Amino acid sequence: MKKILVANRGEIAIRVMKTAQKMGIKTVAVYSKADRNAPHVRFADEAVCIGEPPSNQSYLLGSKIIEVAKSLHVDGIHPGYGFLSENADFAEEVEKNGIIFIGPKSKAIRMMGSKLAAKEAVKKYDIPMVPGIDEAITDVAKAKEIAKEIGFPILIKASAGGGGKGMRIVEKEKDLESQMKRAISEATSAFGDGSVFIEKYVTSPRHIEIQVMADGHGNILHFFERECSIQRRHQKVVEEAPSSILTPELRAEMGEAAVKVAKSCDYLGAGTVEFLMDADHRFYFLEMNTRLQVEHPVSELIAGVDLVELQIKVARGEALDIKQEDLKINGHALELRVYAEDPLNDFLPSVGNLETYVLPIGEGIRVDNGFEQGMDVPIYYDPMLSKLISYGKTREEAMQLMIRAIDNYHIEGVQTTLPFGKFVCEHEAFRSGNFDTHFVKNYYSPEKLKNQTTQEAKIAAMMALKQYLKDQQLLRIPTA
């Protein structure tokens, strides 16, 4: 593999290119007109504009991306995450054109892309599932029957869904009909597929996922777990590895379950098996993400591997040269997704110009970044600017490093999730490890964040005043 096209933008495009460069592989960037001056475009060896700013006129044009790849004699296409990364038709088209898709085969993407098909596939492996129904329904009467059987609260989920779309929690029977209609309508407009299914709603759930990697020679490894329970709108904001609540036995059990899920769909490459864990530490299979995850750096740091390098090696037919027993957890890592969002205004996107954009540096700090000072944050794409990652010998050290890194990350021109990240790292529930996916609902409010920021500003002002008075005193000491 001499040349790779990265079918993505921003920090993940640069992240993939860095590894390719390290492996002596040339890179091709694709970009929309909105991204013509973006760092990933300059970072690549070659770059081609593929269309207008909206993603459906650029980054989602699979056939056009393949056309570019063929014209530049590209050997492999890496999709990153988002956009076309879990599009089975795109993966298939890439394969048909004699180009290597750096990801799983289209069959596995298709199977795991449907929550119902995924459940069906893993059923024979005796993997724990949340009680519920294994078929798509639209009949409200039938839904009521099932809900009564498994007991309220229940969760209505879109079969083709993700990112919290088409998902509704129903506490009482009287709300079932209206919530089901809303879920079907939302799923239809988001995914073109209105099928939903019903399962028991796990109260106080934690979101724990396992990173897996499979080669074409029958080897499947897991790189331990990531805790992803700090979320807003069912989307992750803070992730860490390892989880503070898993025992070695439970970790081994979940790792084994994840490997079985990968086996069930004849998986190839990097993937993530997601589980829900209840208050009694029972875990249930949720879904499989058939791509590299946003939060992959925390796994890389604790396991001492480069997951993109392994993806490329596996894609070119090599066997994994690591054994499961060789992998050990070393240290602790945290990741904060730095979104251009306003945590004081319901995390709404905050677009504008990055008047100041200075990254933190130092030992134990990694920033996977896609922006630079003076750039505009485009309205067309996900508002993530970068991923801020801290790594320490212990969880406490990783948290303190994260707080310091947030303080040294200077952004002006847009609002970001940096203050929220600091709020999380300083909160007793997070520090103690006693939290779940309802952290934002239970502990966070814009008022609390404002109070914390005001208090910090007061302390900083008092310290500055104290230092000023001390300096004045020194100046007044008469010399002999």
Side-chain angles (χ1 to χ4, degrees), residues 44 72 101 108-109 238 249 255 293 334 402 479:
L72 295 176
F101 181 73
I109 299 174
V238 177
E249 295 75 25
Q293 294 275 86
L334 284 178
M402 178 60 81
T479 53

Side-chain angles (χ1 to χ4, degrees), residues 322-341:
I322 317 165
K323 295 212 166 9
Q324 190 65 56
E325 54 270 25
D326 299 333
L327 290 165
K328 301 278 181 287
I329 293 175
N330 186 17
H332 198 97
L334 284 178
E335 176 179 292
L336 167 66
R337 299 187 187 191
V338 183
Y339 285 112
E341 291 180 348

Side-chain angles (χ1 to χ4, degrees), residues 223-329:
F223 297 88
F224 316 111
E225 80 280 1
R226 295 186 288 255
E227 169 83 63
C228 305
S229 298
I230 305 290
Q231 307 177 355
R232 50 102 184 90
R233 293 193 293 274
H234 301 289
Q235 289 180 318
K236 307 157 192 170
V237 188
V238 177
E239 301 107 347
E240 62 179 313
S243 166
S244 60
I245 60 164
L246 258 60
T247 60
E249 295 75 25
L250 194 48
R251 178 171 293 123
E253 203 184 324
M254 290 181 82
E256 206 178 306
V259 166
K260 284 178 180 172
V261 171
K263 262 186 194 150
S264 77
C265 63
D266 195 18
Y267 201 74
L268 182 77
T272 295
V273 181
E274 308 207 345
F275 296 98
L276 269 189
M277 184 172 275
D278 67 18
D280 299 316
H281 294 189
R282 284 187 298 250
F283 66 89
Y284 307 97
F285 171 70
L286 189 61
E287 63 182 346
M288 185 176 195
N289 291 126
T290 54
R291 55 175 163 81
L292 194 67
Q293 294 275 86
V294 176
E295 57 275 17
H296 77 273
V298 293
S299 295
E300 292 186 320
L301 288 164
I302 66 155
V305 294
D306 180 334
L307 291 170
V308 175
E309 186 177 352
L310 292 178
Q311 274 188 305
I312 293 169
K313 284 180 172 179
V314 161
R316 62 188 186 194
E318 293 177 33
L320 289 164
D321 59 359
I322 317 165
K323 295 212 166 9
Q324 190 65 56
E325 54 270 25
D326 299 333
L327 290 165
K328 301 278 181 287
I329 293 175

